[in-house]
Amino acid sequence: MAILSRLVIFASMNRPSEHTVRDFTVSLLAADYIARFRDAERIAAYCRACPNYGRSWACPPFGFDMDDYLAGYRTALIIATKITPAQTGLPLSEATPLLRPERVRLEHRLLELERRYAGRAFAYAGTCLYCPAEGCSRSEGAPCRHPEWVRPSLEACGFDLCRTTEELFGIPLRWSSDGRLPEYLTLVSGFFHNAEHVDWEE
């Protein structure tokens, strides 16, 4: 497992706050990752319960066969990004300043890997970054405005991210409670490819 760490300082509500960000990466056979961590029916039920279901082009249901979408790749590079605030018990309002810069960084890197290695990127689930003001065009029955940027998450493709982070990285997912952030936040993304080697830290 490779680990890349950095200390980040961000300004929120006119006060700077330090937090650390660590990218953990694991490469394994794509077929093994699919066999061990994909539980399509169970995860699909969670997706159907989400308010974004069918309302975002980054979310299911998709207009393609998922087995075909995942096929043809030899290696799965899985990235777990752990964001640890310096202070505990921060309000939920601090989540966006912590998460958004890392999502932008991760998605930029994943699309760069796609261009370089002709693989398939899987971004972080949640609200799409690219149409925040006008909302997703899917709700209007229109095509995605930014198909060159939008990628589904591993979870949207049926992968169990709780098992992924615990078994591959030893990082249990943590959830907010009482309007407060957990002790750390975790973003999970991936890149399926056929290259001999892909260096995430490049």
Side-chain angles (χ1 to χ4, degrees):
M1 177 170 58
I3 304 171
L4 177 65
S5 301
R6 55 201 179 88
L7 175 67
V8 181
I9 299 177
F10 75 97
S12 177
M13 298 173 62
N14 300 317
R15 59 183 178 78
S17 176
E18 292 182 350
H19 63 280
T20 58
V21 178
R22 291 185 173 89
D23 287 342
F24 300 82
T25 64
V26 167
S27 286
L28 67 164
L29 291 174
D32 287 352
Y33 183 62
I34 292 168
R36 288 174 56 195
F37 295 98
R38 187 162 184 250
D39 190 350
E41 289 186 18
R42 182 171 62 85
I43 303 300
Y46 298 148
C47 288
R48 285 191 294 272
C50 174
N52 275 336
Y53 185 79
R55 300 179 64 187
S56 166
W57 286 115
C59 296
F62 299 112
F64 52 80
D65 183 85
M66 187 56 68
D67 290 333
D68 290 344
Y69 188 78
L70 298 173
Y73 297 101
R74 182 173 62 245
T75 304
L77 170 66
I78 309 301
I79 306 100
T81 300
K82 185 177 181 182
I83 304 166
T84 307
Q87 305 171 45
T88 58
L90 291 175
L92 278 176
S93 59
E94 296 293 323
T96 297
L98 286 166
L99 292 172
R100 186 178 176 85
E102 298 311 319
R103 285 190 58 190
V104 170
R105 176 183 66 86
L106 291 166
E107 292 185 21
H108 175 79
R109 179 64 177 144
L110 289 165
L111 292 174
E112 181 184 307
L113 292 180
E114 267 195 353
R115 289 189 293 271
R116 183 178 297 184
Y117 298 107
R120 189 173 300 285
F122 300 87
Y124 169 72
T127 305
C128 175
L129 294 177
Y130 306 108
C131 294
E134 61 271 35
C136 183
S137 59
R138 188 172 188 176
S139 61
E140 305 161 4
C144 178
R145 295 183 184 95
H146 303 291
E148 72 277 18
W149 298 334
V150 176
R151 299 295 181 271
S153 67
L154 288 167
E155 189 171 30
C157 296
F159 290 97
D160 185 332
L161 299 190
C162 291
R163 284 193 57 217
T164 293
T165 60
E166 288 201 30
E167 294 184 23
L168 293 183
F169 301 100
I171 303 173
L173 293 184
R174 299 288 188 231
W175 311 102
S176 59
S177 64
D178 299 324
R180 299 288 171 178
L181 293 179
E183 65 214 73
Y184 59 83
L185 303 167
T186 310
L187 300 174
V188 185
S189 51
F191 181 63
F192 283 24
H193 64 89
N194 290 315
E196 288 301 317
H197 176 70
V198 170
D199 187 356
W200 177 253
E201 301 176 17
E202 217 171 51

